[in-house]
Amino acid sequence: MRLLHIRSLTTRLSLLSAGLFAAVMLSVSVLLFAMVERIARIEVEQQLVASGAVYDRLWQQRSHQMQDAARLMARDFGFRAAVATGDQATAVSALDNLQRRLNADIAVVVGIDGSVQGAVSPGARTDIAALWTSLDASRLSGVAWIDGHAKQIVAAPILTPVLTGWVLFASDIDAREMHSLETLSAIRLHAGVIVKQDGRWNRVAGAFALTEAAASGQIDASLARHHGVDLTLSGERSIALAKALPTIGDSAPAALLLFYPRSQAMAAYRPVQWAVALLGLLGIAIVVVASWRAARRITLPLSRLDAAAGRLAAGDHDEVVVEGDDELARLATSFNHMAHEIEERERRITHLAFNDVLTGLANRTMFQQQVDYQLRTRTGAKDALALFCLDLDRFKTVNDTLGHSIGDALLIEVGRRLKRVAEGCFVARLGGDEFVVVQPLSGGRGEIDRLAMAILGVIGEPFDVDGNHILPGTSIGIAIAPDDGGDVDTLLRNADLALYRAKGEGRGAYSFFEESLNEKAQARRVIESDLRAAIERGEFELHFQPLFDLKLNRIGSFEALIRWNHPKRGLVSPLEFIPIAEDTGMIVPIGAWVMREACRQAVAWPEHVRVAVNVSPVQFHRPGLNQVILNALAGSGLAPNRLEIEITESIFLEGSDATLKALHSLRSLGIRIALDDFGTGYSSLSYLQSFPFDKLKIDQSFIQALLVRPGASAVIRAITDLATALGMETTAEGVEETMQLRELEMHGCSSIQGFLFSKPVRVSEIAALLSQPAAPAAAKGHRAA
């Protein structure tokens, strides 16, 4: 297994240290072994050279001894006379005596004619006779091959006084002589004589065998360079040195081979090598133990840190204590600090995940989990709970007029009051100005009513936020589990529906969910879906209701009123779909279509007849309204002064400065601006001071009360007088009776609008309406028709 695959850091560090030490020890050991071997080799080669020198001296001594004897014999008068006279018996007898004294193997006389006299075998006689050429050339000593054996040859000339032949002695070069040479060395060398035949060296004397084919080349190298070589002799690696021997005659090259087995040369150094090996192993063992202990000192804190990190990942927090002031101790300190920071961060994240950042109340996620838990752990009908869904009335106005910081401060204070008044209940903020209260029920409907009244009361009390006196108020929708929903989403949706009804009933109230609300919500969703299709399919059309100018006694303008021709439901009232269009934002494309269509139709009317188009607050506060109006005028060719924009004072609730700026921009183009439903709001008079409207449309509620409520006539008179003083026209809406008309004429109203004169008509009926007698009295007949 590779080191990288070992999981334990301690083991890896120990193995790494031991491996490095082992590598160093191995390198040292290899170097030591090489040096020991080199020293042993040098010593053996020195002994080989010394032995070779001894053998040279012994060879020379032997040669001189035999040569002196041969010369003495060659000079002996009787021997020379016997040779000269051919007395072979005398000559041979003298040679035999000298042969025994010299311990020579052969003693003969070689005649000048190449004849051989002496007791030798025929084969030896032939080989000796072949030496005549060398003897004649005065080469009188050397090695020669005689009768299949290597012999040391020594000869001396016989002069009588002329050369008549040579006395020749020959001694065997055999194992015995080699053994005697081996005993003369300081180390037990092995010696032998080799002869080169047919390109290869062969042993002729000595107890060894040349078993390596490359031995001849190695021997040649030793002869040429006079240094030792490695040879395999008798199957054993040896250090060998070859020394050339002199030859005589046509004999093949001969050499003395001295060698010493490598195993014997290294035997004296084996204890040193074993000692080095044992020391290396002991050192590795010591290094492994020391490395293990050192690694444990490093890895034990790391293991603790690793275990602590695992616990930290699992959510458990633990501190790691490491003594000292080294890097590991500092790492543990940093880890502990990091773990503390992570714990703090997790607490903050958990708080943010389940709590509202602004108020500190539970957020939507925690609310859903809490209600879901309470619904799942219900054990019976008594374990019911009530969900209060509430939001602040006119909170957007606070944000827009006083700023978001004041709005945020108001929300914080609302959260505090809710926690105080709904003690024991679960309180959460879902977002914006929307809060929920979850009340566990142990009694009847009365405890729900008491809490709802308490919430309305505490939120209805004035708020003092940074010196601002605020009266926001609230509306509450209530759904009860499990009757109104068995899951969180259903319960919250139904509470929202109840809240929507509470707001519709006049705000500052609470309302319980009823199944009819769900049915209305379903119907609303159907209308919303159909509205989107209606825009694409062109199901809308415009009806126009005339406004009769009482001063000029003629129709002065028409108000464009949208109608929806539903393919299944028939004609749908604007009161049914306009609020939905405003809530969903679809009023913007619908209003743009109305503007284009109204201008397109009005351009065909007489020049004195204007067209009035209602603009929703949603349209007004969306960018691009001015461009829509300009495009409608440009596309139709209608003069700007023939277009009248009708707005309600609700558009001033969101950013009055921006609203006034937009109104002045339209007014500068020549477009007329009328304030619709005048008198129904809280601040109508303040808006009249801010912007010079062209017309005030008196709400029909005042007209309907004109004949039945005391003081109503005075109110109408006050409005018309105010409009006259400000240079504005007035239009009375919802005029249905002649007596109402007479009162309005008497109070100076500029124009009227209502069924008394005409109901809204289709485009195709406008021409006929314009051609009728121009008198209010004619309206009676039209109404009757």
Side-chain angles (χ1 to χ4, degrees), residues 439-451:
Q439 180 188 32
L441 298 180
S442 56
R445 169 88 174 254
E447 62 179 321
I448 302 176
D449 291 326
R450 285 192 295 272
L451 180 58

Side-chain angles (χ1 to χ4, degrees), residues 570-592:
L571 203 60
V572 181
S573 169
L575 297 177
E576 191 173 351
F577 70 85
I578 289 297
I580 298 175
E582 289 182 328
D583 289 344
T584 59
M586 286 188 287
I587 192 66
V588 175
I590 293 174

Side-chain angles (χ1 to χ4, degrees), residues 49-161:
V49 171
S51 297
V54 169
Y55 187 80
D56 284 343
R57 287 195 297 273
L58 290 175
W59 180 276
Q60 291 174 5
Q61 288 177 3
R62 177 69 170 167
S63 295
H64 289 160
Q65 181 185 7
M66 292 173 64
Q67 204 160 38
D68 289 344
R71 287 195 188 101
L72 182 61
M73 176 66 70
R75 292 178 185 149
D76 182 78
F77 179 78
F79 179 75
R80 285 190 296 170
V83 172
T85 59
D87 185 357
Q88 185 173 356
T90 302
V92 171
S93 176
L95 289 174
D96 287 341
N97 289 332
L98 187 56
Q99 176 182 353
R100 285 192 295 272
R101 288 199 303 271
L102 292 176
N103 198 22
D105 294 317
I106 295 175
V108 295
V109 173
V110 181
I112 192 69
D113 56 356
S115 62
V116 178
Q117 299 179 24
V120 291
S121 63
R125 187 177 300 276
T126 302
D127 292 333
I128 292 171
L131 299 177
W132 181 88
T133 303
S134 295
L135 296 175
D136 187 52
S138 298
R139 291 168 54 195
L140 304 179
S141 65
V143 175
W145 195 261
I146 304 298
D147 198 16
H149 298 282
K151 305 286 186 180
Q152 181 180 5
I153 304 297
V154 174
I158 303 173
L159 302 174
T160 60

Side-chain angles (χ1 to χ4, degrees), residues 4 127 178 460 653 718:
L4 292 176
D127 292 333
M178 293 298 104
L653 296 179

